[in-house]
Amino acid sequence: ADTKNGPQLVDSYDCDPALPDATGPERTYALTVPGPAVQRVTLELETPLVDLDVVVLEQQWDTETETVYCDKDACVAHGGTRMTTDLGAGVIEFYAKPFATYYISVDGRHDIEGRFTLSVDCADAEICDNEIDDDDDNDDAASKRRPNDVDSG
């Protein structure tokens, strides 16, 4: 995909003080989380020779007009190719609510535009208190002993 010739609808986000300069064109995608479980969503942004950012916005509901909308201040996660997290450069992760819709925007600072690849991976998130291995990692709450657990035998 490419942000070149994309719309320039948003020039700042409420995620990070450094993002007010998101004046480049953006590409935005909608992601609706399959339910009913909370999903761990991992996004990886690859941009050869271009500094782009990825911003995740949660869809909002206007009770007066009974319509949904995208709010640039409803940021739940953000990252970029020059921002390194524990997961690596250009990789971000967030926990998505069941059946919720999120807008994933790839945007450039200071009018930067260019080609990118955006990978999205959704997996069931681990719910720590249900004694089930929700995310299939062979590690569940039932197999964990807490410091105050006492053997009955």
Side-chain angles (χ1 to χ4, degrees), residues 1 3 13 16 64-65 69-72 93 106 108 117 134 152:
T3 61
Y13 299 91
D16 179 340
E64 262 184 46
T65 62
Y69 64 97
C70 179
D71 182 353
K72 68 185 182 77
E93 186 176 81
V106 178
T117 301
D134 302 293
S152 60

Side-chain angles (χ1 to χ4, degrees), residues 29-34 41 43 56 94 96 100-104 120-122:
Y29 306 91
L31 170 68
T32 300
V33 178
V41 180
L43 303 173
V56 180
F94 70 99
T101 297
Y102 295 87
Y103 297 101
I104 302 168
V120 180
D121 181 53
C122 295

Side-chain angles (χ1 to χ4, degrees), residues 105-147:
S105 182
V106 178
D107 205 335
R109 298 179 197 199
H110 307 292
D111 299 321
I112 290 176
E113 57 188 33
R115 296 188 54 72
F116 66 90
T117 301
L118 179 66
S119 302
V120 180
D121 181 53
C122 295
D124 286 345
E126 187 72 55
I127 300 170
C128 296
D129 61 357
N130 68 353
E131 298 186 0
I132 297 173
D133 185 14
D134 302 293
D135 60 1
D136 293 324
D137 66 354
N138 295 319
D139 187 16
D140 64 22
S143 66
K144 296 177 183 162
R145 289 186 52 83
R146 295 178 206 105

Side-chain angles (χ1 to χ4, degrees), residues 10-22:
V10 178
D11 58 9
S12 67
Y13 299 91
D14 192 34
C15 309
D16 179 340
L19 285 176
D21 297 322

Side-chain angles (χ1 to χ4, degrees), residues 50-98:
V50 182
D51 180 20
L52 296 175
D53 295 303
V54 62
V55 179
V56 180
L57 306 168
E58 185 174 2
Q59 180 175 281
Q60 301 296 300
W61 173 257
D62 186 327
T63 55
E64 262 184 46
T65 62
E66 296 187 351
T67 57
V68 295
Y69 64 97
C70 179
D71 182 353
K72 68 185 182 77
D73 297 327
C75 181
V76 295
H78 73 283
T81 52
R82 292 198 180 189
M83 296 174 63
T84 302
T85 66
D86 292 342
L87 302 171
V91 180
I92 61 171
E93 186 176 81
F94 70 99
Y95 290 91
K97 299 173 189 172

